[in-house]
Amino acid sequence: MHLFALLLAVQSGPVATARPAPADSLTGPGVSRALAAYRAARVRDVSYDLVLDVTAHDTARGHVTVRFARRGGGDAILDFRGPALSGARASGRPVAGLVANGAHLRVPAAALRAGANVLDFDFAAAIAPAGASVIRFHDTTDRADYLYTLLVPADANALFPCFDQPDLKARVTFTLRTPKGWTAVANGAARDSSVDPSGARTFRFARTRPISTYLIAFAAGPWATRTRTVGGRRITMYVRASRAAEAETDSLIAANARGLAWLERYFARPYPFGKLDFVLAPAFPFGGMEHPGAIFYNEESFIYRERPTLTQRLGRTATIYHEVAHQWFGDLVTMKWFDDLWLKEGFATYMAAKMQDALDPSSQAWKTFYLRNKPVAYAVDASEGTTPIWQQLANLDQAKSNYGAIVYNKAPSVLKQLDYLVGDDAFRAGLRRYLARHAYGNATWRDLLGAVGEAAHRDLTAWGNQYILRPGLPTLTATADLIESTCALRGHDGAKCGAQSVRELTISQQPTRASVSSAGAWPMRSQLLAWGWDEPTPQRV
């Protein structure tokens, strides 16, 4: 049966009308921490079979089958903010008493079973140039339209009914019906496609490994595709037809493949999601987005209108390495809640620099790492408005406010300090242990420090409390106890008479802003370089 016929059949079936109701403590705006905890205790083994028709200009119409295992009692509460919902069914029967309030759907416990459950919904979602879960870009060069999803951090529920929290991972299967002449890419590998009498094409994709809802993605349009096989790995790039000739296909695909291969060796773990494609998304609001199997990159930062500078090229490579690193840190192992946003973003930035330094020593990756991260992190962390790296979050509605210099710039700098503290071997062994322990699951910063601490044979609890939970930074002050040198005894010429020697050097620290940082020292491993008249070459102390 063609997708179009399937949609008509579903939408013409029995409809359970949702009755509006005021929000209660769990179904208020957004996704609260209380709702997330309620569901995490009751919901397991989630999957979404998504059928979407995107042939209309401003509306995607679809059907989703939500499968999950239920334990304990209580209603099932899903999230949905789309413009239309109908056809709600539970285990094949119309849902009586469904409650919808524009943010959530409450399926009464009487409609559910112990163990395996199946919910079905027909829905509509907005397609728009901005502010929607599906973005439409119009190419004025050739008048072509392109679509792509934008669901981070908690906008999957604007697309379809789901459990929209990072620790309820799901296997996702996409079926997309697109206009004539279009192609499509999604998280899963393409299985097959067919054309109906109207010329519309339906694409079917394989089921994914478990991923968080904010990572679900598809892109559709008259994309030009370029496929290369590098090191036995087949990678396809999707790019606007009007800009395909400008894209450096071989370089971009090779950089993605090179990053994957390096990380597979470093983590001692194969790429976790089977296939990898990427999209050069026009008007994309971020540098990149790490969807498993379908990374999106900002087209304007990846295709240059004039000869690029070395800085531009190195920056583009760093972005690729950042998003590829996310396939392990963020995608394979995901933070339980967005208060640990740094756990994926800080790691991706740090691993990108580590990778770039290893693969291209001439890139001076650590100098760039310093220039891009330390000054902006210092500026924010020395202010009254600074926050800890771990930023308490009561509702996913607030998640976008957690993005900033503390997460993206201070966090990777702190990770560099952790690597230096425990040593490269223990750091790498700890990361491997962390990934193995939480693969396709979720974790917290304490899980990470526990794994690294085990590998390093040391307790990192105090270190974590100071660097992850404590805002601000220390100011270090060096105080030297000097003694006059005796020129005659040392045989110095007159020009060096009066020089002094250091008998003792004291390094002390205090909070840069006592008003935002608690008392006590930040634990750190330091290295001092010293030199003088007799030792023109710096000596490590």
Side-chain angles (χ1 to χ4, degrees), residues 284-327:
F284 196 63
F286 312 118
M289 182 59 206
E290 65 269 19
H291 315 112
I295 296 174
F296 291 0
Y297 294 117
N298 183 301
E299 178 200 87
E300 201 60 31
S301 299
F302 272 57
I303 301 178
Y304 305 117
R305 297 187 182 277
E306 56 274 324
R307 187 178 182 86
T309 65
L310 177 61
T311 299
Q312 285 176 307
R313 287 186 174 277
L314 291 176
R316 184 176 69 180
T317 301
T319 298
I320 291 172
Y321 291 166
H322 178 103
E323 303 306 334
V324 171
H326 268 313
Q327 305 302 304

Side-chain angles (χ1 to χ4, degrees), residues 37 39 48 106 143 233 283 285 323 342 377 385 393 415 445 535:
R39 294 194 296 213
Y48 302 112
R106 184 186 281 275
R143 306 181 65 80
R233 178 174 282 119
E323 303 306 334
W342 79 275
L393 193 70
L415 287 170
W445 67 270
E535 296 174 341

Side-chain angles (χ1 to χ4, degrees), residues 36-313:
Y38 172 89
R39 294 194 296 213
R42 291 166 172 80
V43 175
R44 290 287 186 277
D45 303 326
V46 183
S47 70
Y48 302 112
D49 289 341
L50 264 171
V51 179
L52 276 176
D53 186 329
V54 295
T55 55
H57 186 266
D58 59 0
T59 303
R61 298 195 178 277
H63 178 85
V64 63
T65 299
V66 184
R67 293 181 173 86
F68 65 98
R70 175 175 175 256
R71 66 179 189 181
D75 301 343
I77 302 175
L78 291 86
D79 314 312
F80 184 61
R81 293 184 287 118
L85 180 82
S86 64
R89 303 178 75 85
S91 300
R93 297 181 178 181
V95 177
L98 177 73
V99 177
N101 65 2
H104 305 283
L105 309 174
R106 184 186 281 275
V107 179
L112 303 171
R113 303 171 174 176
N117 280 266
V118 180
L119 301 177
D120 287 277
F121 301 96
D122 300 325
F123 63 89
I127 299 174
S133 57
V134 181
I135 302 299
R136 177 183 294 278
F137 177 85
H138 181 69
D139 190 337
T140 57
T141 303
D142 59 7
R143 306 181 65 80
D145 283 348
Y146 296 87
L147 305 181
Y148 56 81
T149 49
L150 190 59
L151 306 184
V152 64
D155 286 339
N157 67 86
L159 177 61
F160 69 100
C162 59
F163 301 110
D164 200 4
Q165 62 191 67
D167 61 339
L168 287 181
K169 290 189 168 184
R171 297 177 183 271
V172 183
T173 306
F174 261 115
T175 302
L176 293 173
R177 183 173 184 264
T178 70
K180 181 180 180 179
W182 281 24
T183 188
V185 60
N187 301 106
R191 281 176 30 214
D192 57 59
S193 66
S194 58
V195 178
D196 64 30
S198 71
R201 180 175 290 275
T202 297
F203 295 88
R204 287 167 282 270
F205 297 90
R207 178 161 294 189
T208 68
R209 301 299 298 268
I211 60 176
S212 298
T213 45
Y214 75 90
L215 294 169
I216 295 171
F218 76 84
W223 304 100
T225 59
R226 303 287 185 267
T227 301
R228 302 286 187 273
T229 299
V230 182
R233 178 174 282 119
R234 189 171 182 268
I235 298 176
T236 298
M237 176 181 75
Y238 292 75
V239 59
R240 268 196 290 165
S242 66
R243 302 208 68 184
E246 303 170 71
E248 299 173 57
T249 299
D250 292 339
S251 295
L252 295 178
I253 290 178
N256 279 269
R258 190 164 56 246
L260 282 178
W262 189 88
L263 287 166
E264 285 181 325
R265 294 191 299 271
Y266 185 86
F267 291 136
R269 189 176 193 92
Y271 170 63
F273 297 102
K275 68 98 176 177
L276 179 71
D277 299 322
F278 63 90
V279 179
L280 302 189
F284 196 63
F286 312 118
M289 182 59 206
E290 65 269 19
H291 315 112
I295 296 174
F296 291 0
Y297 294 117
N298 183 301
E299 178 200 87
E300 201 60 31
S301 299
F302 272 57
I303 301 178
Y304 305 117
R305 297 187 182 277
E306 56 274 324
R307 187 178 182 86
T309 65
L310 177 61
T311 299
Q312 285 176 307
R313 287 186 174 277

Side-chain angles (χ1 to χ4, degrees), residues 428-438 450-457:
R428 182 174 60 248
L431 299 191
R432 291 176 175 181
R433 185 174 304 198
Y434 170 81
L435 292 174
R437 191 172 287 168
H438 304 286
V452 174
E454 288 172 20
H457 305 292

